[in-house]
CSV table of all heavy atoms in Angstrom, one decimal:
chain,number,residue,atom,x,y,z
J,953,PHE,N,0.9,-1.2,0.0
J,953,PHE,CA,0.0,0.0,0.0
J,953,PHE,C,0.9,1.2,0.0
J,953,PHE,O,1.7,1.4,0.9
J,953,PHE,CB,-0.9,0.0,1.3
J,953,PHE,CG,-1.8,-1.2,1.4
J,953,PHE,CD1,-1.4,-2.2,2.2
J,953,PHE,CD2,-3.0,-1.2,0.9
J,953,PHE,CE1,-2.2,-3.3,2.4
J,953,PHE,CE2,-3.9,-2.3,1.1
J,953,PHE,CZ,-3.5,-3.3,1.8
J,954,VAL,N,0.7,2.1,-1.0
J,954,VAL,CA,1.5,3.3,-1.1
J,954,VAL,C,0.6,4.6,-1.1
J,954,VAL,O,-0.3,4.6,-2.0
J,954,VAL,CB,2.5,3.3,-2.3
J,954,VAL,CG1,3.3,4.6,-2.3
J,954,VAL,CG2,3.3,2.1,-2.3
J,955,ARG,N,0.9,5.5,-0.3
J,955,ARG,CA,0.1,6.7,-0.2
J,955,ARG,C,0.6,7.8,-1.2
J,955,ARG,O,-0.2,8.6,-1.8
J,955,ARG,CB,0.1,7.3,1.2
J,955,ARG,CG,-0.9,8.5,1.5
J,955,ARG,CD,-0.6,9.0,2.9
J,955,ARG,NE,-1.6,10.0,3.3
J,955,ARG,CZ,-1.4,10.8,4.3
J,955,ARG,NH1,-0.3,10.7,5.1
J,955,ARG,NH2,-2.3,11.7,4.7
J,956,GLY,N,1.9,7.8,-1.4
J,956,GLY,CA,2.5,8.8,-2.3
J,956,GLY,C,2.8,8.3,-3.7
J,956,GLY,O,2.0,7.5,-4.2
J,957,LYS,N,3.8,8.9,-4.3
J,957,LYS,CA,4.1,8.5,-5.7
J,957,LYS,C,5.1,7.3,-5.7
J,957,LYS,O,5.9,7.1,-4.8
J,957,LYS,CB,4.8,9.7,-6.3
J,957,LYS,CG,3.9,11.0,-6.4
J,957,LYS,CD,4.7,12.1,-7.1
J,957,LYS,CE,3.8,13.4,-7.2
J,957,LYS,NZ,4.5,14.5,-7.8
J,958,VAL,N,4.9,6.6,-6.8
J,958,VAL,CA,5.8,5.4,-7.0
J,958,VAL,C,6.7,5.7,-8.3
J,958,VAL,O,6.1,6.0,-9.3
J,958,VAL,CB,5.0,4.1,-7.3
J,958,VAL,CG1,5.9,3.0,-7.7
J,958,VAL,CG2,4.2,3.8,-6.0
J,959,LYS,N,8.0,5.7,-8.1
J,959,LYS,CA,8.9,6.1,-9.2
J,959,LYS,C,8.7,5.1,-10.4
J,959,LYS,O,8.6,5.5,-11.5
J,959,LYS,CB,10.3,6.2,-8.8
J,959,LYS,CG,11.2,6.8,-9.8
J,959,LYS,CD,12.5,7.3,-9.2
J,959,LYS,CE,13.4,8.0,-10.2
J,959,LYS,NZ,14.7,8.4,-9.7
J,960,SER,N,8.7,3.8,-10.0
J,960,SER,CA,8.5,2.8,-11.1
J,960,SER,C,8.1,1.5,-10.4
J,960,SER,O,8.5,1.2,-9.2
J,960,SER,CB,9.7,2.6,-12.0
J,960,SER,OG,10.8,2.1,-11.3
J,961,LEU,N,7.4,0.6,-11.1
J,961,LEU,CA,7.1,-0.7,-10.6
J,961,LEU,C,8.1,-1.7,-11.2
J,961,LEU,O,8.5,-1.6,-12.3
J,961,LEU,CB,5.7,-1.1,-11.0
J,961,LEU,CG,4.5,-0.2,-10.5
J,961,LEU,CD1,3.2,-0.7,-11.0
J,961,LEU,CD2,4.5,-0.3,-8.9
J,962,GLY,N,8.4,-2.7,-10.3
J,962,GLY,CA,9.3,-3.8,-10.8
J,962,GLY,C,8.5,-4.8,-11.6
J,962,GLY,O,7.3,-4.7,-11.9
J,963,ALA,N,9.3,-5.8,-12.1
J,963,ALA,CA,8.7,-6.9,-12.9
J,963,ALA,C,7.6,-7.6,-12.2
J,963,ALA,O,7.7,-8.0,-11.0
J,963,ALA,CB,9.8,-7.9,-13.3
J,964,ASP,N,6.5,-7.7,-12.9
J,964,ASP,CA,5.3,-8.5,-12.4
J,964,ASP,C,4.5,-7.8,-11.3
J,964,ASP,O,3.6,-8.3,-10.7
J,964,ASP,CB,5.7,-9.9,-11.9
J,964,ASP,CG,4.6,-10.9,-12.1
J,964,ASP,OD1,3.9,-10.8,-13.1
J,964,ASP,OD2,4.3,-11.7,-11.2
J,965,CYS,N,4.9,-6.5,-11.0
J,965,CYS,CA,4.1,-5.7,-10.0
J,965,CYS,C,3.1,-4.8,-10.8
J,965,CYS,O,3.5,-4.2,-11.7
J,965,CYS,CB,5.0,-4.9,-9.1
J,965,CYS,SG,4.2,-4.0,-7.8
J,966,GLU,N,1.9,-4.8,-10.3
J,966,GLU,CA,0.9,-4.0,-10.9
J,966,GLU,C,0.0,-3.4,-9.9
J,966,GLU,O,-0.1,-3.9,-8.7
J,966,GLU,CB,0.1,-4.8,-11.9
J,966,GLU,CG,-0.8,-5.9,-11.3
J,966,GLU,CD,-1.6,-6.7,-12.3
J,966,GLU,OE1,-1.4,-6.5,-13.5
J,966,GLU,OE2,-2.4,-7.5,-11.8
J,967,GLU,N,-0.7,-2.3,-10.2
J,967,GLU,CA,-1.7,-1.7,-9.3
J,967,GLU,C,-3.0,-2.6,-9.3
J,967,GLU,O,-3.4,-3.2,-10.4
J,967,GLU,CB,-2.1,-0.3,-9.8
J,967,GLU,CG,-3.1,0.4,-8.8
J,967,GLU,CD,-3.4,1.8,-9.2
J,967,GLU,OE1,-2.7,2.4,-10.1
J,967,GLU,OE2,-4.4,2.3,-8.6
J,968,LYS,N,-3.5,-2.8,-8.1
J,968,LYS,CA,-4.7,-3.7,-8.0
J,968,LYS,C,-5.9,-2.9,-7.4
J,968,LYS,O,-5.7,-1.9,-6.7
J,968,LYS,CB,-4.4,-4.8,-6.9
J,968,LYS,CG,-3.2,-5.7,-7.3
J,968,LYS,CD,-3.7,-6.8,-8.1
J,968,LYS,CE,-2.6,-7.9,-8.3
J,968,LYS,NZ,-3.1,-9.0,-9.1
J,969,PRO,N,-7.1,-3.3,-7.7
J,969,PRO,CA,-8.3,-2.7,-7.1
J,969,PRO,C,-8.3,-3.0,-5.6
J,969,PRO,O,-8.0,-4.1,-5.2
J,969,PRO,CB,-9.4,-3.3,-7.8
J,969,PRO,CG,-8.9,-4.6,-8.4
J,969,PRO,CD,-7.5,-4.3,-8.7
J,970,MET,N,-8.6,-2.0,-4.8
J,970,MET,CA,-8.6,-2.3,-3.3
J,970,MET,C,-10.0,-2.7,-2.9
J,970,MET,O,-10.9,-2.0,-3.0
J,970,MET,CB,-8.1,-1.0,-2.5
J,970,MET,CG,-7.9,-1.4,-1.1
J,970,MET,SD,-7.3,0.0,0.0
J,970,MET,CE,-5.9,0.7,-0.9
J,971,THR,N,-10.1,-3.9,-2.4
J,971,THR,CA,-11.3,-4.4,-1.9
J,971,THR,C,-11.6,-3.9,-0.5
J,971,THR,O,-10.7,-3.4,0.2
J,971,THR,CB,-11.3,-6.0,-1.9
J,971,THR,OG1,-10.4,-6.4,-0.9
J,971,THR,CG2,-10.9,-6.5,-3.2
J,972,ALA,N,-12.8,-4.2,0.0
J,972,ALA,CA,-13.2,-3.8,1.4
J,972,ALA,C,-12.3,-4.5,2.4
J,972,ALA,O,-11.9,-4.0,3.4
J,972,ALA,CB,-14.6,-4.1,1.6
J,973,ALA,N,-12.0,-5.8,2.1
J,973,ALA,CA,-11.1,-6.6,3.0
J,973,ALA,C,-9.7,-6.0,3.0
J,973,ALA,O,-9.0,-5.9,4.1
J,973,ALA,CB,-11.0,-8.0,2.5
J,974,ASP,N,-9.2,-5.5,1.8
J,974,ASP,CA,-7.9,-4.9,1.8
J,974,ASP,C,-7.9,-3.6,2.6
J,974,ASP,O,-6.9,-3.3,3.4
J,974,ASP,CB,-7.5,-4.5,0.3
J,974,ASP,CG,-7.3,-5.8,-0.5
J,974,ASP,OD1,-6.8,-6.8,0.0
J,974,ASP,OD2,-7.6,-5.7,-1.7
J,975,ALA,N,-8.9,-2.8,2.5
J,975,ALA,CA,-9.0,-1.6,3.2
J,975,ALA,C,-9.1,-1.8,4.7
J,975,ALA,O,-8.5,-1.0,5.5
J,975,ALA,CB,-10.3,-0.8,2.7
J,976,ASP,N,-9.7,-2.9,5.1
J,976,ASP,CA,-9.8,-3.2,6.5
J,976,ASP,C,-8.4,-3.5,7.1
J,976,ASP,O,-8.1,-3.1,8.2
J,976,ASP,CB,-10.8,-4.3,6.8
J,976,ASP,CG,-12.2,-3.9,6.6
J,976,ASP,OD1,-12.5,-2.7,6.6
J,976,ASP,OD2,-13.1,-4.8,6.5
J,977,ILE,N,-7.7,-4.3,6.3
J,977,ILE,CA,-6.3,-4.7,6.7
J,977,ILE,C,-5.5,-3.4,6.9
J,977,ILE,O,-4.7,-3.2,7.9
J,977,ILE,CB,-5.7,-5.7,5.7
J,977,ILE,CG1,-6.4,-7.0,5.8
J,977,ILE,CG2,-4.2,-5.8,6.0
J,977,ILE,CD1,-6.0,-8.0,4.7
J,978,LEU,N,-5.6,-2.5,5.9
J,978,LEU,CA,-4.8,-1.3,5.9
J,978,LEU,C,-5.2,-0.4,7.1
J,978,LEU,O,-4.3,0.1,7.8
J,978,LEU,CB,-5.0,-0.6,4.6
J,978,LEU,CG,-4.3,0.8,4.5
J,978,LEU,CD1,-2.8,0.7,4.7
J,978,LEU,CD2,-4.6,1.4,3.1
J,979,ALA,N,-6.5,-0.3,7.3
J,979,ALA,CA,-6.9,0.6,8.5
J,979,ALA,C,-6.4,0.0,9.8
J,979,ALA,O,-6.0,0.8,10.7
J,979,ALA,CB,-8.5,0.6,8.5
J,980,THR,N,-6.4,-1.3,10.0
J,980,THR,CA,-5.9,-1.9,11.2
J,980,THR,C,-4.5,-1.6,11.4
J,980,THR,O,-4.0,-1.3,12.5
J,980,THR,CB,-6.2,-3.4,11.2
J,980,THR,OG1,-7.6,-3.6,11.1
J,980,THR,CG2,-5.6,-4.1,12.4
J,981,LEU,N,-3.7,-1.8,10.3
J,981,LEU,CA,-2.2,-1.5,10.4
J,981,LEU,C,-1.9,0.0,10.7
J,981,LEU,O,-1.0,0.3,11.5
J,981,LEU,CB,-1.5,-2.0,9.1
J,981,LEU,CG,-1.5,-3.5,8.9
J,981,LEU,CD1,-0.9,-3.8,7.6
J,981,LEU,CD2,-0.7,-4.2,10.0
J,982,LEU,N,-2.6,0.9,10.0
J,982,LEU,CA,-2.4,2.3,10.3
J,982,LEU,C,-2.7,2.6,11.8
J,982,LEU,O,-2.0,3.4,12.4
J,982,LEU,CB,-3.3,3.1,9.4
J,982,LEU,CG,-3.0,3.1,7.9
J,982,LEU,CD1,-4.1,3.7,7.0
J,982,LEU,CD2,-1.6,3.8,7.7
J,983,ASP,N,-3.8,2.0,12.3
J,983,ASP,CA,-4.2,2.2,13.7
J,983,ASP,C,-3.1,1.7,14.6
J,983,ASP,O,-2.6,2.4,15.5
J,983,ASP,CB,-5.5,1.5,14.0
J,983,ASP,CG,-6.0,1.9,15.4
J,983,ASP,OD1,-5.5,2.8,16.0
J,983,ASP,OD2,-7.0,1.2,15.8
J,984,ARG,N,-2.6,0.5,14.4
J,984,ARG,CA,-1.6,-0.1,15.2
J,984,ARG,C,-0.2,0.7,15.2
J,984,ARG,O,0.5,0.7,16.1
J,984,ARG,CB,-1.3,-1.5,14.8
J,984,ARG,CG,-2.5,-2.5,15.1
J,984,ARG,CD,-2.1,-3.9,14.6
J,984,ARG,NE,-1.0,-4.5,15.4
J,984,ARG,CZ,-0.3,-5.5,15.0
J,984,ARG,NH1,-0.6,-6.1,13.9
J,984,ARG,NH2,0.7,-6.0,15.8
J,985,ALA,N,0.0,1.3,14.0
J,985,ALA,CA,1.3,2.1,13.9
J,985,ALA,C,1.2,3.5,14.3
J,985,ALA,O,2.1,4.3,14.1
J,985,ALA,CB,1.7,2.0,12.4
J,986,GLY,N,0.0,3.9,14.8
J,986,GLY,CA,-0.1,5.3,15.3
J,986,GLY,C,-0.6,6.3,14.2
J,986,GLY,O,-0.4,7.5,14.4
J,987,HIS,N,-1.1,5.8,13.1
J,987,HIS,CA,-1.6,6.7,12.0
J,987,HIS,C,-3.1,6.5,11.8
J,987,HIS,O,-3.6,6.5,10.7
J,987,HIS,CB,-0.8,6.4,10.7
J,987,HIS,CG,0.6,6.5,10.8
J,987,HIS,ND1,1.3,7.7,10.9
J,987,HIS,CD2,1.6,5.6,10.8
J,987,HIS,CE1,2.6,7.5,11.0
J,987,HIS,NE2,2.8,6.3,10.9
J,988,LYS,N,-3.8,6.5,12.9
J,988,LYS,CA,-5.3,6.2,12.8
J,988,LYS,C,-6.0,7.3,12.0
J,988,LYS,O,-7.0,7.0,11.4
J,988,LYS,CB,-5.9,6.2,14.2
J,988,LYS,CG,-7.3,5.8,14.3
J,988,LYS,CD,-7.8,5.6,15.7
J,988,LYS,CE,-9.3,5.1,15.7
J,988,LYS,NZ,-9.7,4.9,17.1
J,989,GLU,N,-5.4,8.5,12.0
J,989,GLU,CA,-6.1,9.6,11.3
J,989,GLU,C,-6.0,9.5,9.7
J,989,GLU,O,-6.7,10.2,9.0
J,989,GLU,CB,-5.5,11.0,11.7
J,989,GLU,CG,-4.1,11.3,11.2
J,989,GLU,CD,-3.0,10.5,11.8
J,989,GLU,OE1,-3.2,9.7,12.7
J,989,GLU,OE2,-1.8,10.6,11.3
J,990,VAL,N,-5.1,8.7,9.3
J,990,VAL,CA,-4.9,8.5,7.8
J,990,VAL,C,-5.9,7.5,7.3
J,990,VAL,O,-6.2,6.5,7.8
J,990,VAL,CB,-3.4,8.0,7.5
J,990,VAL,CG1,-3.2,7.9,6.0
J,990,VAL,CG2,-2.4,9.0,8.1
J,991,LYS,N,-6.5,7.9,6.1
J,991,LYS,CA,-7.6,7.1,5.6
J,991,LYS,C,-7.1,6.1,4.5
J,991,LYS,O,-6.2,6.5,3.6
J,991,LYS,CB,-8.6,8.0,4.9
J,991,LYS,CG,-9.2,9.1,5.8
J,991,LYS,CD,-9.8,8.5,7.1
J,991,LYS,CE,-10.4,9.6,8.0
J,991,LYS,NZ,-10.9,9.0,9.3
J,992,PRO,N,-7.6,4.9,4.5
J,992,PRO,CA,-7.2,3.9,3.5
J,992,PRO,C,-7.4,4.4,2.1
J,992,PRO,O,-6.7,4.0,1.1
J,992,PRO,CB,-8.0,2.7,3.8
J,992,PRO,CG,-8.2,2.8,5.3
J,992,PRO,CD,-8.4,4.3,5.6
J,993,ALA,N,-8.4,5.2,1.9
J,993,ALA,CA,-8.8,5.7,0.5
J,993,ALA,C,-7.7,6.5,-0.1
J,993,ALA,O,-7.7,6.8,-1.3
J,993,ALA,CB,-10.1,6.5,0.6
J,994,GLU,N,-6.7,7.0,0.7
J,994,GLU,CA,-5.6,7.8,0.2
J,994,GLU,C,-4.5,7.0,-0.4
J,994,GLU,O,-3.5,7.5,-0.9
J,994,GLU,CB,-5.0,8.7,1.4
J,994,GLU,CG,-6.0,9.6,2.0
J,994,GLU,CD,-5.5,10.3,3.2
J,994,GLU,OE1,-4.2,10.4,3.4
J,994,GLU,OE2,-6.3,10.9,4.0
J,995,PHE,N,-4.6,5.7,-0.3
J,995,PHE,CA,-3.6,4.7,-0.8
J,995,PHE,C,-3.9,4.0,-2.1
J,995,PHE,O,-5.1,3.9,-2.4
J,995,PHE,CB,-3.3,3.7,0.3
J,995,PHE,CG,-2.6,4.2,1.5
J,995,PHE,CD1,-3.4,4.9,2.5
J,995,PHE,CD2,-1.3,4.0,1.8
J,995,PHE,CE1,-2.8,5.3,3.7
J,995,PHE,CE2,-0.7,4.4,2.9
J,995,PHE,CZ,-1.4,5.1,3.9
J,996,LYS,N,-2.9,3.6,-2.8
J,996,LYS,CA,-3.1,2.7,-3.9
J,996,LYS,C,-2.5,1.3,-3.5
J,996,LYS,O,-1.5,1.2,-2.7
J,996,LYS,CB,-2.4,3.2,-5.1
J,996,LYS,CG,-3.1,4.4,-5.7
J,996,LYS,CD,-2.4,4.8,-7.0
J,996,LYS,CE,-3.1,6.0,-7.7
J,996,LYS,NZ,-2.4,6.5,-8.9
J,997,LEU,N,-3.1,0.3,-4.0
J,997,LEU,CA,-2.6,-1.1,-3.6
J,997,LEU,C,-1.9,-1.7,-4.8
J,997,LEU,O,-2.3,-1.6,-6.0
J,997,LEU,CB,-3.8,-2.0,-3.3
J,997,LEU,CG,-3.6,-3.5,-3.2
J,997,LEU,CD1,-2.6,-3.8,-2.0
J,997,LEU,CD2,-4.9,-4.2,-3.0
J,998,TYR,N,-0.8,-2.3,-4.6
J,998,TYR,CA,0.0,-3.0,-5.6
J,998,TYR,C,0.2,-4.4,-5.2
J,998,TYR,O,0.4,-4.8,-4.0
J,998,TYR,CB,1.4,-2.3,-5.8
J,998,TYR,CG,1.2,-0.8,-6.2
J,998,TYR,CD1,1.2,0.2,-5.2
J,998,TYR,CD2,1.1,-0.4,-7.5
J,998,TYR,CE1,1.0,1.5,-5.5
J,998,TYR,CE2,1.0,0.9,-7.8
J,998,TYR,CZ,0.9,1.9,-6.9
J,998,TYR,OH,0.8,3.2,-7.2
J,999,GLY,N,0.2,-5.3,-6.2
J,999,GLY,CA,0.4,-6.7,-6.0
J,999,GLY,C,1.0,-7.4,-7.2
J,999,GLY,O,1.3,-6.8,-8.2
J,1000,SER,N,0.9,-8.7,-7.2
J,1000,SER,CA,1.5,-9.5,-8.3
J,1000,SER,C,0.6,-9.7,-9.4
J,1000,SER,O,-0.6,-10.0,-9.2
J,1000,SER,CB,2.0,-10.9,-7.7
J,1000,SER,OG,2.4,-11.7,-8.8
């Protein structure tokens, strides 16, 4: 999950649609890391 800019993607990495389950995982991690005020909607998801 990246909130800012990505200079380039590596081989086989692509942007993915973020599901509700993905957003829940992200929200939980942001909360645990002390960034509860940051919204999952501000991020893009990348995967294989």
Side-chain angles (χ1 to χ4, degrees):
F953 301 95
V954 182
R955 188 186 187 194
K957 297 178 180 179
V958 176
K959 191 164 186 180
S960 65
L961 297 177
D964 208 42
C965 184
E966 65 179 9
E967 185 177 347
K968 299 273 191 178
M970 192 181 306
T971 67
D974 296 325
D976 286 345
I977 290 169
L978 177 55
T980 298
L981 290 173
L982 290 169
D983 189 12
R984 292 180 64 195
H987 300 290
K988 188 175 183 178
E989 75 287 353
V990 181
K991 305 302 181 185
E994 300 174 18
F995 290 78
K996 290 182 179 179
L997 171 63
Y998 300 91
S1000 174

